[in-house]
Amino acid sequence: MSDVETLPRAAPARPELPPPMGLLAELTHRCSLRCPYCSNPLELDRRSSELSTAEWKRLIDEAAVLGVLHIYFSGGEPMLRRDIAELVAHAHDAGLYTNMITSGVGFQPAVLDAVAEAGLDHIQLSVQAVDAQTCDRVAGYDGALQRKHAVAVDIARLGLRLTVNAVVHRENVDQINAFVQLAEDWGAARIEIAHVQYYGWGLVNRARLMPTRQQVEAAMADVEEARAHTAGRLVIDCVLPDYYARYPKACMGGWGARLMNVTPSGRVLPCHAAETIPGLVFDNVRDVSLSEIWYQSASFNAFRGTDWMKEPCRSCARKELDFGGCRCQAMALAGDASATDPACSLSPLHQEVVALAETDAASGRSDFIYRGYQGV
């Protein structure tokens, strides 16, 4: 008897819509760290609701048939799943490029050896700060940085391609150059310096995390200087904080355009924060195939393309560059998921958002509300 579950064949694909490039597989919401900007929802999925090994394998097979190229094993901490090496091997055998997004904390070194042997192509290791005091405080875990250093050594020993993920906010925004040096010391080929995105736990902690405009400008100057002196050795990606930007980012490359996000319990989302938008119903892979969800579900089609847009987005020359910005941020800041993202300078609410950022940055608050199953 096969340990891979099957569903009835999905309806034919829409030929004009390409398949998703990537699938973010949130295997679990369990995690040893309690970062106050975590992208997981405020209401975390319990272990008892997680997809089984067979269900994840069937999902991986469907993704490969659909045309997905990359799978990102994430969480929570994906290495807490006892079947993680089995799932990596299954994805590898299905022809998918496999990437692991890990905190580096809460699992034994043998687990990393097992996923490397299973065919893992790439690993992303997060770091909260370059000094132990700040790193451990932000992570809510004593000894976090020490553990990350040890995992980085193991990653190098195994020859895995490494990206360092550094999430930047008011407490560590002055560490850009040190983050870059740490990435080089760890043997990374890439570092992603991403300012906190204010959804979920990040939104709850916005007044505790928001940097000043001056800090952001100094950090960007540091990034450009670092790019100059690491050219040819290290790729540096940088994600700005939306509240200080002139134009919003094209969130997820456009709603339902490139990525599918599967939660631990099997709900399929266009982005990790999509469940914050009222009125949208998200199908579950236990009931509906990935192909049907991608091509036919109301949730994925809700904000696809540009037909849904209101002014000023509808007549904007940038509408197919940033797609009106982030729908979840529009919901959070404007109360309307179809509004122009207020991070955009063309939004009538933009100056209010800038004022929010400046007020939060000046608050001086540092009493984090930590991520956890207890909620807020």
Side-chain angles (χ1 to χ4, degrees), residues 219-266:
M220 290 308 300
D222 288 342
V223 167
E224 291 309 312
E225 181 181 346
R227 281 174 170 161
H229 81 250
T230 62
R233 301 196 312 271
L234 183 71
V235 175
I236 302 176
D237 294 328
C238 187
V239 180
L240 282 170
D242 288 341
Y243 288 41
Y244 291 120
R246 183 180 180 188
Y247 297 115
K249 63 182 180 298
C251 189
M252 312 301 288
W255 181 279
R258 296 183 182 178
L259 187 75
M260 304 182 88
N261 186 136
V262 182
T263 72
S265 58

Side-chain angles (χ1 to χ4, degrees), residues 48-91:
S48 58
S49 71
E50 291 175 10
L51 296 177
S52 67
T53 304
E55 287 171 324
W56 277 115
K57 284 184 174 182
R58 186 257 298 164
L59 173 65
I60 289 167
D61 289 342
E62 288 189 18
V65 171
L66 178 58
V68 169
L69 301 177
H70 301 254
I71 185 166
Y72 304 86
F73 291 107
S74 181
E77 175 49 63
M79 303 261 222
L80 293 179
R81 287 275 303 213
R82 294 179 181 177
D83 57 0
I84 183 60
E86 187 176 353
L87 295 179
V88 169
H90 195 81

Side-chain angles (χ1 to χ4, degrees), residues 300-315:
F300 271 77
N301 283 303
F303 302 108
R304 260 191 180 130
T306 59
D307 290 347
W308 57 270
M309 290 181 176
K310 300 177 180 179
E311 294 294 350
C313 294
R314 181 178 290 274
S315 58

Side-chain angles (χ1 to χ4, degrees), residues 166-289:
V167 179
V168 177
H169 45 84
R170 190 164 68 230
E171 293 211 6
N172 65 3
V173 69
D174 61 342
Q175 296 188 2
I176 299 298
N177 290 320
F179 276 130
V180 171
Q181 185 60 57
L182 182 66
E184 291 210 277
D185 292 345
W186 282 355
R190 181 183 298 268
I191 181 172
E192 180 178 297
I193 299 169
H195 286 259
V196 168
Q197 302 299 296
Y198 295 100
Y199 322 107
W201 295 97
L203 184 60
V204 168
N205 284 288
R206 190 178 64 194
R208 302 159 178 87
L209 296 168
M210 183 69 72
T212 65
R213 183 183 293 276
Q214 291 74 23
Q215 286 178 311
V216 171
E217 290 173 350
M220 290 308 300
D222 288 342
V223 167
E224 291 309 312
E225 181 181 346
R227 281 174 170 161
H229 81 250
T230 62
R233 301 196 312 271
L234 183 71
V235 175
I236 302 176
D237 294 328
C238 187
V239 180
L240 282 170
D242 288 341
Y243 288 41
Y244 291 120
R246 183 180 180 188
Y247 297 115
K249 63 182 180 298
C251 189
M252 312 301 288
W255 181 279
R258 296 183 182 178
L259 187 75
M260 304 182 88
N261 186 136
V262 182
T263 72
S265 58
R267 296 181 306 282
V268 187
L269 316 176
C271 75
H272 60 264
E275 289 179 295
T276 62
I277 300 177
L280 292 181
V281 177
F282 299 98
D283 292 313
N284 195 296
V285 292
R286 287 178 165 135
D287 307 312
V288 185
S289 73

